């Protein structure tokens, strides 16, 4: 299953959401979370986004770290200096 997911994502370099992966592989919703997690643990795929906006991408054999959006480091909540 992991090989099928990776192959599908390699064919779609713009990435796919889990619903799209399920649809194209013809699997049930409950069958996909574990193989996705295992593929990420093996650094074969990566993801960006959260919840329904999560998009999965194939890696090129090395670890791919997606760029983070949002606050800059050091600008978050913390102790205020007076």
């Amino acid at each position: 299953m992991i090989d099928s997911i990776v192959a599908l994502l390699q064919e779609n370099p713009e990435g796919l959401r889990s619903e799209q992966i399920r649809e194209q592989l013809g699997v049930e919703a409950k069958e996909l979370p574990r193989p996705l997690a295992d593929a990420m643990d093996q650094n074969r795929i990566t993801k960006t986004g959260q919840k329904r906006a999560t998009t999965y991408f194939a890696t090129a054999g090395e670890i791919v770290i997606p760029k983070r959006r949002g606050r800059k480091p050091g600008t978050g909540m913390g102790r205020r200096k007076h």
Side-chain angles (χ1 to χ4, degrees), residues 47-71:
K47 69 177 183 175
T48 61
Q50 297 177 12
K51 298 186 181 182
R52 295 214 40 192
T54 302
T55 304
Y56 295 91
F57 303 90
T59 61
E62 67 250 12
I63 299 174
V64 174
I65 301 173
K67 293 183 179 180
R68 296 182 71 191
R69 297 182 204 178
R71 294 191 299 226

Short mmCIF file of all heavy atoms in Angstrom, two decimals, residues 47-71:
data_model
loop_
_atom_site.label_atom_id
_atom_site.label_comp_id
_atom_site.label_asym_id
_atom_site.label_seq_id
_atom_site.Cartn_x
_atom_site.Cartn_y
_atom_site.Cartn_z
N LYS A 47 4.08 16.07 4.30
CA LYS A 47 2.78 16.71 4.21
C LYS A 47 2.88 18.16 4.64
O LYS A 47 3.81 18.56 5.35
CB LYS A 47 1.75 15.98 5.08
CG LYS A 47 1.97 16.13 6.57
CD LYS A 47 0.88 15.45 7.35
CE LYS A 47 1.08 15.67 8.86
NZ LYS A 47 -0.01 15.12 9.63
N THR A 48 1.91 18.94 4.17
CA THR A 48 1.75 20.31 4.61
C THR A 48 0.28 20.51 4.94
O THR A 48 -0.58 19.77 4.45
CB THR A 48 2.16 21.34 3.52
OG1 THR A 48 1.32 21.15 2.38
CG2 THR A 48 3.61 21.19 3.14
N GLY A 49 -0.02 21.50 5.74
CA GLY A 49 -1.40 21.80 6.08
C GLY A 49 -1.90 20.99 7.25
O GLY A 49 -1.18 20.17 7.82
N GLN A 50 -3.16 21.24 7.59
CA GLN A 50 -3.78 20.57 8.72
C GLN A 50 -5.18 20.11 8.35
O GLN A 50 -5.81 20.66 7.49
CB GLN A 50 -3.88 21.52 9.91
CG GLN A 50 -2.54 21.99 10.43
CD GLN A 50 -2.72 22.97 11.56
OE1 GLN A 50 -3.82 23.14 12.09
NE2 GLN A 50 -1.66 23.64 11.94
N LYS A 51 -5.62 19.10 9.05
CA LYS A 51 -6.96 18.53 8.91
C LYS A 51 -7.30 18.27 7.44
O LYS A 51 -6.55 17.62 6.73
CB LYS A 51 -7.98 19.40 9.61
CG LYS A 51 -7.70 19.50 11.10
CD LYS A 51 -8.77 20.24 11.82
CE LYS A 51 -8.40 20.30 13.30
NZ LYS A 51 -9.40 20.95 14.07
N ARG A 52 -8.42 18.79 6.96
CA ARG A 52 -8.84 18.51 5.57
C ARG A 52 -7.98 19.20 4.54
O ARG A 52 -8.03 18.87 3.36
CB ARG A 52 -10.30 18.91 5.38
CG ARG A 52 -11.20 18.05 6.25
CD ARG A 52 -12.50 17.74 5.68
NE ARG A 52 -12.48 17.46 4.27
CZ ARG A 52 -13.55 17.38 3.54
NH1 ARG A 52 -14.71 17.54 4.09
NH2 ARG A 52 -13.48 17.13 2.26
N ALA A 53 -7.19 20.18 4.96
CA ALA A 53 -6.31 20.90 4.02
C ALA A 53 -4.94 20.25 3.92
O ALA A 53 -4.05 20.80 3.28
CB ALA A 53 -6.18 22.36 4.46
N THR A 54 -4.75 19.10 4.54
CA THR A 54 -3.46 18.42 4.49
C THR A 54 -3.20 17.91 3.08
O THR A 54 -4.05 17.24 2.49
CB THR A 54 -3.42 17.24 5.48
OG1 THR A 54 -3.67 17.75 6.79
CG2 THR A 54 -2.07 16.55 5.46
N THR A 55 -2.02 18.24 2.55
CA THR A 55 -1.62 17.79 1.23
C THR A 55 -0.36 16.97 1.38
O THR A 55 0.57 17.36 2.09
CB THR A 55 -1.36 18.99 0.30
OG1 THR A 55 -2.54 19.81 0.27
CG2 THR A 55 -1.03 18.54 -1.11
N TYR A 56 -0.32 15.82 0.72
CA TYR A 56 0.81 14.90 0.80
C TYR A 56 1.64 14.98 -0.47
O TYR A 56 1.11 15.16 -1.57
CB TYR A 56 0.29 13.46 0.99
CG TYR A 56 -0.42 13.28 2.30
CD1 TYR A 56 -1.79 13.47 2.40
CD2 TYR A 56 0.29 12.93 3.45
CE1 TYR A 56 -2.45 13.32 3.61
CE2 TYR A 56 -0.37 12.79 4.66
CZ TYR A 56 -1.73 12.98 4.74
OH TYR A 56 -2.38 12.84 5.94
N PHE A 57 2.97 14.84 -0.30
CA PHE A 57 3.92 14.91 -1.40
C PHE A 57 4.91 13.75 -1.28
O PHE A 57 5.28 13.36 -0.18
CB PHE A 57 4.73 16.22 -1.34
CG PHE A 57 3.88 17.45 -1.36
CD1 PHE A 57 3.42 18.00 -0.18
CD2 PHE A 57 3.55 18.06 -2.56
CE1 PHE A 57 2.64 19.15 -0.19
CE2 PHE A 57 2.78 19.21 -2.58
CZ PHE A 57 2.31 19.75 -1.39
N ALA A 58 5.37 13.25 -2.42
CA ALA A 58 6.43 12.23 -2.42
C ALA A 58 7.77 12.93 -2.21
O ALA A 58 7.97 14.05 -2.68
CB ALA A 58 6.45 11.49 -3.74
N THR A 59 8.67 12.28 -1.49
CA THR A 59 10.01 12.82 -1.34
C THR A 59 10.90 12.20 -2.40
O THR A 59 10.55 11.19 -3.01
CB THR A 59 10.58 12.51 0.07
OG1 THR A 59 10.65 11.10 0.24
CG2 THR A 59 9.74 13.13 1.16
N ALA A 60 12.06 12.79 -2.60
CA ALA A 60 12.99 12.30 -3.61
C ALA A 60 14.04 11.41 -2.97
O ALA A 60 15.18 11.39 -3.37
CB ALA A 60 13.65 13.47 -4.32
N GLY A 61 13.66 10.68 -1.92
CA GLY A 61 14.59 9.80 -1.24
C GLY A 61 15.29 10.45 -0.07
O GLY A 61 15.85 9.79 0.77
N GLU A 62 15.23 11.76 0.00
CA GLU A 62 15.81 12.44 1.14
C GLU A 62 14.69 13.11 1.93
O GLU A 62 13.58 13.23 1.45
CB GLU A 62 16.85 13.48 0.72
CG GLU A 62 16.27 14.63 -0.04
CD GLU A 62 16.67 14.64 -1.51
OE1 GLU A 62 17.19 13.65 -1.99
OE2 GLU A 62 16.41 15.65 -2.15
N ILE A 63 15.01 13.56 3.10
CA ILE A 63 14.01 14.20 3.94
C ILE A 63 13.69 15.57 3.35
O ILE A 63 14.59 16.37 3.11
CB ILE A 63 14.50 14.35 5.39
CG1 ILE A 63 14.77 12.97 5.98
CG2 ILE A 63 13.51 15.12 6.22
CD1 ILE A 63 15.40 13.00 7.35
N VAL A 64 12.41 15.83 3.13
CA VAL A 64 11.96 17.12 2.63
C VAL A 64 11.20 17.80 3.74
O VAL A 64 10.22 17.26 4.26
CB VAL A 64 11.06 16.96 1.39
CG1 VAL A 64 10.49 18.29 0.97
CG2 VAL A 64 11.83 16.31 0.27
N ILE A 65 11.65 18.97 4.13
CA ILE A 65 10.98 19.72 5.18
C ILE A 65 10.25 20.87 4.53
O ILE A 65 10.88 21.77 3.97
CB ILE A 65 11.98 20.22 6.24
CG1 ILE A 65 12.72 19.04 6.84
CG2 ILE A 65 11.26 21.05 7.30
CD1 ILE A 65 13.84 19.41 7.75
N PRO A 66 8.90 20.86 4.57
CA PRO A 66 8.16 21.93 3.93
C PRO A 66 8.38 23.25 4.67
O PRO A 66 8.61 23.27 5.87
CB PRO A 66 6.70 21.48 4.03
CG PRO A 66 6.67 20.47 5.09
CD PRO A 66 8.05 19.87 5.19
N LYS A 67 8.31 24.35 3.92
CA LYS A 67 8.45 25.66 4.54
C LYS A 67 7.25 25.93 5.42
O LYS A 67 6.12 25.63 5.06
CB LYS A 67 8.55 26.74 3.47
CG LYS A 67 9.82 26.64 2.67
CD LYS A 67 9.91 27.77 1.68
CE LYS A 67 11.20 27.66 0.89
NZ LYS A 67 11.33 28.74 -0.07
N ARG A 68 7.52 26.49 6.59
CA ARG A 68 6.44 26.80 7.52
C ARG A 68 5.93 28.20 7.26
O ARG A 68 6.68 29.10 6.96
CB ARG A 68 6.95 26.69 8.95
CG ARG A 68 7.37 25.27 9.29
CD ARG A 68 7.82 25.17 10.69
NE ARG A 68 6.65 25.29 11.54
CZ ARG A 68 6.69 25.46 12.84
NH1 ARG A 68 7.83 25.52 13.46
NH2 ARG A 68 5.59 25.57 13.55
N ARG A 69 4.66 28.35 7.41
CA ARG A 69 4.05 29.67 7.28
C ARG A 69 3.57 30.09 8.66
O ARG A 69 3.26 29.27 9.49
CB ARG A 69 2.85 29.61 6.35
CG ARG A 69 3.22 29.22 4.95
CD ARG A 69 2.01 29.24 4.08
NE ARG A 69 2.25 28.34 2.94
CZ ARG A 69 1.37 28.10 2.03
NH1 ARG A 69 0.20 28.64 2.07
NH2 ARG A 69 1.66 27.29 1.05
N GLY A 70 3.51 31.36 8.86
CA GLY A 70 2.99 31.84 10.15
C GLY A 70 4.00 32.73 10.85
O GLY A 70 4.78 33.42 10.21
N ARG A 71 3.97 32.70 12.15
CA ARG A 71 4.83 33.57 12.95
C ARG A 71 6.29 33.25 12.76
O ARG A 71 6.67 32.12 12.55
CB ARG A 71 4.49 33.43 14.43
CG ARG A 71 3.13 33.92 14.76
CD ARG A 71 2.98 33.99 16.25
NE ARG A 71 3.14 32.67 16.83
CZ ARG A 71 2.36 32.15 17.73
NH1 ARG A 71 1.36 32.83 18.19
NH2 ARG A 71 2.59 30.96 18.21
#
